[in-house]
Amino acid sequence: MPVRAPGRVFGRVSVRKLARAVQRVTSTALGPYQSAVVRIGFSLTWLFFLLCEYPHRHELYGPGGPWGWDMARQLIADNHAFTALMWSQNPVWFEIVYGFAVVSAALLMLGWRTRTMSVLFMIGVLSLQNRSIFMGDGGDNVIHLMAIYLVLTRCGQVWSLDARRDPSRGDQVGPALWGALGACLAALTFMDRLSGGWLLIFWGLWAVHALWWAAGRYAPGQPRVLLDVIANLTHNAGLLVIMAEVCLVYATAGWYKIQGSRWQDGTALYYPLHLDYFSPWPALSGLLASHGVIVMLLTYGTVAVQVAFPFTLLNRRVKNVLLAVMIAEHAAIAVVLGLPFFSLAMIAADAVFLPTGFLRRTGHRAARGRARVCARMRARMRAGGLRRPEARATPQERPRREEQVRTLVE
């Protein structure tokens, strides 16, 4: 019997593992639950922000804000940022764009036409944030980036209206929607409202989706399989970029904190607790600031968690524990420092690292809870519908009605 060299066997095993990994990456859109949570989290955060700031929308992004039209035009002429609000100074146009941002965020959260809504959600976010770049608390930067990354992902595989739609039925809404968007894009191109780079991006996205629809309708064989492979690769790359972005945010924040003298002596948290802007609950802020040991532990703990988080990805259990600590920390920031939208944005970004098993169990529990609530509501409506004729019946007719009701129930 010939003896095989250990190096050759090891090489074959490595090649097989590599082939399996390549096959998985190209044939599957990884992390469907994580991408769905990121989609729901960021669209919900942006929707809450727009609705809560609706009375102040003109001061934030509209004509009544401190960042005037001329200053915004000069800045955009230098950085070539995209914003639809610079197409017109008409207040009606501002209301249309603001309402467009609200509707696109709500529909993306529900997962209706996710590919289309992800692009429209990005347009709404960029249009408002690039109009007034100094309006925000840090969470707007995260939403800004994630709105772009979500366009690359297939974030509607689960927990969406798209996932509940029957694929065997013909889709007429999608082509009609993309046809209308193509007409709008052609009109904007003719009116010279888009610069060269953004014009290529939007026409490229439209052409890709048109090619996807055409391949599914007229060439469902190998061309559609090839497009599926490209879509899976794009999704997996986008999900990887989101994960790398979260790690980069925490790593840079942690290492910059280490260089600060207030973070080194453990007193950095003491100062924002005495600022009126960061004290929605003065009694709670004063109680925390009065305990020096707690302030020191929270200060050092924040730095340690942010610096260590990227390294904990090598160990799943440690990563899950630290992830829970970070989510709890952001929840505390939302309450103590009064930064709810920043905290929601960071929690939505952290959700990309949540375990798949935990997300599945959460989804099953939510589905069971919804089914119970719907069953109780249907039972009450059914019981109420049976009682109404009895209430209107005369005393002579009630025995006969009671017999009918008993027969229906049995």
mmCIF file with all atom_site columns, all heavy atoms in Angstrom, residues 66-77:
data_model
loop_
_atom_site.group_PDB
_atom_site.id
_atom_site.type_symbol
_atom_site.label_atom_id
_atom_site.label_alt_id
_atom_site.label_comp_id
_atom_site.label_asym_id
_atom_site.label_entity_id
_atom_site.label_seq_id
_atom_site.pdbx_PDB_ins_code
_atom_site.Cartn_x
_atom_site.Cartn_y
_atom_site.Cartn_z
_atom_site.occupancy
_atom_site.B_iso_or_equiv
_atom_site.pdbx_formal_charge
_atom_site.auth_seq_id
_atom_site.auth_comp_id
_atom_site.auth_asym_id
_atom_site.auth_atom_id
_atom_site.pdbx_PDB_model_num
ATOM 1   N N   . PRO A 1 66 ? -30.546 77.959 10.689 1.00 0.00 ? 66 PRO A N   1
ATOM 2   C CA  . PRO A 1 66 ? -29.379 78.860 10.722 1.00 0.00 ? 66 PRO A CA  1
ATOM 3   C C   . PRO A 1 66 ? -28.406 78.615 9.567  1.00 0.00 ? 66 PRO A C   1
ATOM 4   O O   . PRO A 1 66 ? -27.663 79.519 9.203  1.00 0.00 ? 66 PRO A O   1
ATOM 5   C CB  . PRO A 1 66 ? -28.737 78.541 12.077 1.00 0.00 ? 66 PRO A CB  1
ATOM 6   C CG  . PRO A 1 66 ? -29.195 77.160 12.404 1.00 0.00 ? 66 PRO A CG  1
ATOM 7   C CD  . PRO A 1 66 ? -30.562 77.026 11.823 1.00 0.00 ? 66 PRO A CD  1
ATOM 8   N N   . TRP A 1 67 ? -28.395 77.382 9.047  1.00 0.00 ? 67 TRP A N   1
ATOM 9   C CA  . TRP A 1 67 ? -27.530 77.077 7.904  1.00 0.00 ? 67 TRP A CA  1
ATOM 10  C C   . TRP A 1 67 ? -28.303 77.447 6.639  1.00 0.00 ? 67 TRP A C   1
ATOM 11  O O   . TRP A 1 67 ? -29.089 76.689 6.122  1.00 0.00 ? 67 TRP A O   1
ATOM 12  C CB  . TRP A 1 67 ? -27.153 75.597 7.920  1.00 0.00 ? 67 TRP A CB  1
ATOM 13  C CG  . TRP A 1 67 ? -26.078 75.224 6.941  1.00 0.00 ? 67 TRP A CG  1
ATOM 14  C CD1 . TRP A 1 67 ? -26.231 74.503 5.805  1.00 0.00 ? 67 TRP A CD1 1
ATOM 15  C CD2 . TRP A 1 67 ? -24.693 75.545 7.010  1.00 0.00 ? 67 TRP A CD2 1
ATOM 16  N NE1 . TRP A 1 67 ? -25.038 74.345 5.152  1.00 0.00 ? 67 TRP A NE1 1
ATOM 17  C CE2 . TRP A 1 67 ? -24.063 74.981 5.890  1.00 0.00 ? 67 TRP A CE2 1
ATOM 18  C CE3 . TRP A 1 67 ? -23.915 76.271 7.927  1.00 0.00 ? 67 TRP A CE3 1
ATOM 19  C CZ2 . TRP A 1 67 ? -22.704 75.113 5.641  1.00 0.00 ? 67 TRP A CZ2 1
ATOM 20  C CZ3 . TRP A 1 67 ? -22.554 76.397 7.682  1.00 0.00 ? 67 TRP A CZ3 1
ATOM 21  C CH2 . TRP A 1 67 ? -21.968 75.820 6.558  1.00 0.00 ? 67 TRP A CH2 1
ATOM 22  N N   . GLY A 1 68 ? -28.059 78.656 6.152  1.00 0.00 ? 68 GLY A N   1
ATOM 23  C CA  . GLY A 1 68 ? -28.853 79.222 5.075  1.00 0.00 ? 68 GLY A CA  1
ATOM 24  C C   . GLY A 1 68 ? -28.620 78.570 3.731  1.00 0.00 ? 68 GLY A C   1
ATOM 25  O O   . GLY A 1 68 ? -27.724 77.725 3.539  1.00 0.00 ? 68 GLY A O   1
ATOM 26  N N   . TRP A 1 69 ? -29.430 78.993 2.780  1.00 0.00 ? 69 TRP A N   1
ATOM 27  C CA  . TRP A 1 69 ? -29.375 78.436 1.437  1.00 0.00 ? 69 TRP A CA  1
ATOM 28  C C   . TRP A 1 69 ? -28.032 78.706 0.760  1.00 0.00 ? 69 TRP A C   1
ATOM 29  O O   . TRP A 1 69 ? -27.452 77.819 0.144  1.00 0.00 ? 69 TRP A O   1
ATOM 30  C CB  . TRP A 1 69 ? -30.528 79.027 0.612  1.00 0.00 ? 69 TRP A CB  1
ATOM 31  C CG  . TRP A 1 69 ? -30.504 78.655 -0.838 1.00 0.00 ? 69 TRP A CG  1
ATOM 32  C CD1 . TRP A 1 69 ? -29.860 79.297 -1.857 1.00 0.00 ? 69 TRP A CD1 1
ATOM 33  C CD2 . TRP A 1 69 ? -31.138 77.523 -1.446 1.00 0.00 ? 69 TRP A CD2 1
ATOM 34  N NE1 . TRP A 1 69 ? -30.057 78.658 -3.046 1.00 0.00 ? 69 TRP A NE1 1
ATOM 35  C CE2 . TRP A 1 69 ? -30.844 77.571 -2.832 1.00 0.00 ? 69 TRP A CE2 1
ATOM 36  C CE3 . TRP A 1 69 ? -31.936 76.501 -0.942 1.00 0.00 ? 69 TRP A CE3 1
ATOM 37  C CZ2 . TRP A 1 69 ? -31.325 76.605 -3.711 1.00 0.00 ? 69 TRP A CZ2 1
ATOM 38  C CZ3 . TRP A 1 69 ? -32.414 75.555 -1.829 1.00 0.00 ? 69 TRP A CZ3 1
ATOM 39  C CH2 . TRP A 1 69 ? -32.107 75.612 -3.191 1.00 0.00 ? 69 TRP A CH2 1
ATOM 40  N N   . ASP A 1 70 ? -27.520 79.934 0.873  1.00 0.00 ? 70 ASP A N   1
ATOM 41  C CA  . ASP A 1 70 ? -26.262 80.291 0.206  1.00 0.00 ? 70 ASP A CA  1
ATOM 42  C C   . ASP A 1 70 ? -25.086 79.527 0.799  1.00 0.00 ? 70 ASP A C   1
ATOM 43  O O   . ASP A 1 70 ? -24.196 79.067 0.058  1.00 0.00 ? 70 ASP A O   1
ATOM 44  C CB  . ASP A 1 70 ? -26.025 81.799 0.328  1.00 0.00 ? 70 ASP A CB  1
ATOM 45  C CG  . ASP A 1 70 ? -27.062 82.610 -0.438 1.00 0.00 ? 70 ASP A CG  1
ATOM 46  O OD1 . ASP A 1 70 ? -27.589 82.072 -1.434 1.00 0.00 ? 70 ASP A OD1 1
ATOM 47  O OD2 . ASP A 1 70 ? -27.352 83.751 -0.030 1.00 0.00 ? 70 ASP A OD2 1
ATOM 48  N N   . MET A 1 71 ? -25.069 79.375 2.121  1.00 0.00 ? 71 MET A N   1
ATOM 49  C CA  . MET A 1 71 ? -23.977 78.619 2.737  1.00 0.00 ? 71 MET A CA  1
ATOM 50  C C   . MET A 1 71 ? -24.027 77.152 2.325  1.00 0.00 ? 71 MET A C   1
ATOM 51  O O   . MET A 1 71 ? -22.979 76.544 2.052  1.00 0.00 ? 71 MET A O   1
ATOM 52  C CB  . MET A 1 71 ? -24.048 78.750 4.257  1.00 0.00 ? 71 MET A CB  1
ATOM 53  C CG  . MET A 1 71 ? -23.749 80.140 4.774  1.00 0.00 ? 71 MET A CG  1
ATOM 54  S SD  . MET A 1 71 ? -23.637 80.229 6.582  1.00 0.00 ? 71 MET A SD  1
ATOM 55  C CE  . MET A 1 71 ? -25.336 79.921 7.026  1.00 0.00 ? 71 MET A CE  1
ATOM 56  N N   . ALA A 1 72 ? -25.231 76.569 2.287  1.00 0.00 ? 72 ALA A N   1
ATOM 57  C CA  . ALA A 1 72 ? -25.349 75.173 1.859  1.00 0.00 ? 72 ALA A CA  1
ATOM 58  C C   . ALA A 1 72 ? -24.935 75.000 0.406  1.00 0.00 ? 72 ALA A C   1
ATOM 59  O O   . ALA A 1 72 ? -24.277 74.018 0.046  1.00 0.00 ? 72 ALA A O   1
ATOM 60  C CB  . ALA A 1 72 ? -26.783 74.698 2.063  1.00 0.00 ? 72 ALA A CB  1
ATOM 61  N N   . ARG A 1 73 ? -25.281 75.957 -0.448 1.00 0.00 ? 73 ARG A N   1
ATOM 62  C CA  . ARG A 1 73 ? -24.912 75.856 -1.856 1.00 0.00 ? 73 ARG A CA  1
ATOM 63  C C   . ARG A 1 73 ? -23.409 75.947 -2.046 1.00 0.00 ? 73 ARG A C   1
ATOM 64  O O   . ARG A 1 73 ? -22.819 75.219 -2.861 1.00 0.00 ? 73 ARG A O   1
ATOM 65  C CB  . ARG A 1 73 ? -25.616 76.969 -2.647 1.00 0.00 ? 73 ARG A CB  1
ATOM 66  C CG  . ARG A 1 73 ? -25.394 76.912 -4.138 1.00 0.00 ? 73 ARG A CG  1
ATOM 67  C CD  . ARG A 1 73 ? -26.211 77.970 -4.836 1.00 0.00 ? 73 ARG A CD  1
ATOM 68  N NE  . ARG A 1 73 ? -25.882 79.313 -4.340 1.00 0.00 ? 73 ARG A NE  1
ATOM 69  C CZ  . ARG A 1 73 ? -26.498 80.421 -4.749 1.00 0.00 ? 73 ARG A CZ  1
ATOM 70  N NH1 . ARG A 1 73 ? -27.498 80.348 -5.625 1.00 0.00 ? 73 ARG A NH1 1
ATOM 71  N NH2 . ARG A 1 73 ? -26.139 81.600 -4.260 1.00 0.00 ? 73 ARG A NH2 1
ATOM 72  N N   . GLN A 1 74 ? -22.742 76.813 -1.278 1.00 0.00 ? 74 GLN A N   1
ATOM 73  C CA  . GLN A 1 74 ? -21.293 76.915 -1.385 1.00 0.00 ? 74 GLN A CA  1
ATOM 74  C C   . GLN A 1 74 ? -20.603 75.632 -0.922 1.00 0.00 ? 74 GLN A C   1
ATOM 75  O O   . GLN A 1 74 ? -19.637 75.175 -1.544 1.00 0.00 ? 74 GLN A O   1
ATOM 76  C CB  . GLN A 1 74 ? -20.800 78.106 -0.568 1.00 0.00 ? 74 GLN A CB  1
ATOM 77  C CG  . GLN A 1 74 ? -21.251 79.457 -1.107 1.00 0.00 ? 74 GLN A CG  1
ATOM 78  C CD  . GLN A 1 74 ? -20.810 80.603 -0.220 1.00 0.00 ? 74 GLN A CD  1
ATOM 79  O OE1 . GLN A 1 74 ? -20.024 80.411 0.730  1.00 0.00 ? 74 GLN A OE1 1
ATOM 80  N NE2 . GLN A 1 74 ? -21.308 81.807 -0.496 1.00 0.00 ? 74 GLN A NE2 1
ATOM 81  N N   . LEU A 1 75 ? -21.100 75.055 0.163  1.00 0.00 ? 75 LEU A N   1
ATOM 82  C CA  . LEU A 1 75 ? -20.485 73.821 0.665  1.00 0.00 ? 75 LEU A CA  1
ATOM 83  C C   . LEU A 1 75 ? -20.686 72.669 -0.310 1.00 0.00 ? 75 LEU A C   1
ATOM 84  O O   . LEU A 1 75 ? -19.752 71.889 -0.572 1.00 0.00 ? 75 LEU A O   1
ATOM 85  C CB  . LEU A 1 75 ? -21.077 73.474 2.029  1.00 0.00 ? 75 LEU A CB  1
ATOM 86  C CG  . LEU A 1 75 ? -20.540 72.209 2.694  1.00 0.00 ? 75 LEU A CG  1
ATOM 87  C CD1 . LEU A 1 75 ? -19.052 72.332 2.974  1.00 0.00 ? 75 LEU A CD1 1
ATOM 88  C CD2 . LEU A 1 75 ? -21.291 71.895 3.978  1.00 0.00 ? 75 LEU A CD2 1
ATOM 89  N N   . ILE A 1 76 ? -21.888 72.539 -0.842 1.00 0.00 ? 76 ILE A N   1
ATOM 90  C CA  . ILE A 1 76 ? -22.170 71.438 -1.766 1.00 0.00 ? 76 ILE A CA  1
ATOM 91  C C   . ILE A 1 76 ? -21.407 71.612 -3.075 1.00 0.00 ? 76 ILE A C   1
ATOM 92  O O   . ILE A 1 76 ? -21.025 70.629 -3.723 1.00 0.00 ? 76 ILE A O   1
ATOM 93  C CB  . ILE A 1 76 ? -23.687 71.345 -2.006 1.00 0.00 ? 76 ILE A CB  1
ATOM 94  C CG1 . ILE A 1 76 ? -24.366 70.885 -0.719 1.00 0.00 ? 76 ILE A CG1 1
ATOM 95  C CG2 . ILE A 1 76 ? -24.015 70.391 -3.140 1.00 0.00 ? 76 ILE A CG2 1
ATOM 96  C CD1 . ILE A 1 76 ? -25.862 70.895 -0.773 1.00 0.00 ? 76 ILE A CD1 1
ATOM 97  N N   . ALA A 1 77 ? -21.151 72.846 -3.456 1.00 0.00 ? 77 ALA A N   1
ATOM 98  C CA  . ALA A 1 77 ? -20.335 73.073 -4.651 1.00 0.00 ? 77 ALA A CA  1
ATOM 99  C C   . ALA A 1 77 ? -18.908 72.581 -4.453 1.00 0.00 ? 77 ALA A C   1
ATOM 100 O O   . ALA A 1 77 ? -18.233 72.204 -5.428 1.00 0.00 ? 77 ALA A O   1
ATOM 101 C CB  . ALA A 1 77 ? -20.337 74.561 -4.999 1.00 0.00 ? 77 ALA A CB  1
#
